[in-house]
Every structure is written in C-alpha cells, then in structure tokens.
Amino acid sequence: HPRLKANRFHSEPKYPVKKYMGYGLYWDPLDYRYHSQLPHAKATPWPIPSWLQALARDTVRELFPKELADYEVQTALVNYYTSDSKMGWHVDKEEEDLKAPVVGVGVGSTCKFLYTDEEGDEQSLMLPGNSVYCFGGGARLMRHGVGTNYKNTLSAEASGLLLNKERLSVTLRKVHLS
C-alpha cells in the first residue's frame, strides 16, 4: 500500500505482506477497517467467488453446526507471501462479529502458523499447502501470526503458479453483525 506509515499496531511503516487484495469488502491497513470501496480509488472490490463462499460455509457448518447456521462470508482477504514474508503476532478483532469463525485456505508452500494457547504459551504448527483451517469459538480471538514459508514444500498443484517458498493465503470472514 503506497501510503502506509507507522501506527499504534506496527512500528514499521509497512504491511508485512507485499501484495494483498480483498474480495467482497476491502480491508485497509491504514485504518484497520473494512470498506465497501477502496478508499483511495473509489473502486468496488470484486465479489467473493461462489466456490469460496461454499467452502467457508461448509467448513463452518461442519465444525459449528448449531451455533452458526446463518454464517455468511462477507470478505475474503488474499495475502501473497514470498520467501521473506511473515505476519507478526496479532488478534483479528476488527470485525463487528467476533463470534464468527475465520476460515483460511492456504495454497502453495507449507508455512508455520504461530498461536498462543489458552495458558498463554506460544505454540506453532505447520500449515501445508492446499489446506483449509478454521478457528472459532474460544480460539477466535487468539493471538496468532504466520512464520516463514518452507522451501521444497510447494504442493504439486501449485507448482505451475507459484515458486518454492511462495504462498497464497485466503482468509474468509463474516465482518458485520446481521
């Protein structure tokens, strides 16, 4: 983003991922809010592809069948991670609906997903390429981040699209209260 500057969230004047885009709603790293138009261009983000909406809905309904029957994806944030990209520790709390889970889709190389468990201890797990993950319930507001991408872990399906140590991450969210 051309106008990023240091703020209360980051001491560095940059968003840690070099390239990103939003479907449905645009997330602006200048104000940490979701917008129906790109603030600097007044352009409307593309709609979320129906297959991504269905994947998120099916994932949430399988994991939270009673609590979230009305789950609806409102935004998909796509981050492109290169070999030197990381996402520092943070909590996804910009949404009005903090009960709705976050569904993630990772394509490309395996990465390290960092999180703080219920006791406050830092943990990590490997997120393989071409995987779907979901955090909801008590984990919805956990502190988390993304570590480095690993070389020689590029999924076969992504080999024509990405290089080793590259990864696309799509996080799907319900942002506004219904």
Side-chain angles (χ1 to χ4, degrees), residues 75-166:
T75 187
L77 180 62
V78 181
N79 285 309
Y80 167 66
Y81 290 87
T82 59
S83 61
D84 61 344
S85 300
K86 298 178 186 176
M87 179 71 67
W89 289 100
H90 64 283
V91 175
D92 294 331
K93 58 185 178 188
E94 289 79 30
E95 298 90 13
E96 292 173 23
D97 190 343
L98 296 176
K99 293 181 181 176
V102 173
V103 176
V105 179
V107 177
S109 293
T110 297
C111 74
K112 186 180 282 191
F113 183 79
L114 313 165
Y115 65 98
T116 303
D117 65 19
E118 293 176 355
E119 288 79 38
D121 296 327
E122 293 181 4
Q123 305 288 335
S124 67
L125 58 89
M126 303 302 280
L127 284 179
N130 297 350
S131 61
V132 177
Y133 61 92
C134 180
F135 50 96
R140 173 59 180 82
L141 292 175
M142 72 179 167
R143 195 169 147 251
H144 63 281
V146 178
T148 57
N149 293 330
Y150 291 88
K151 57 181 159 178
N152 301 324
T153 61
L154 189 66
S155 61
E157 295 84 353
S159 63
L161 305 170
L162 299 167
L163 300 174
N164 258 327
K165 296 188 82 173
E166 290 184 335

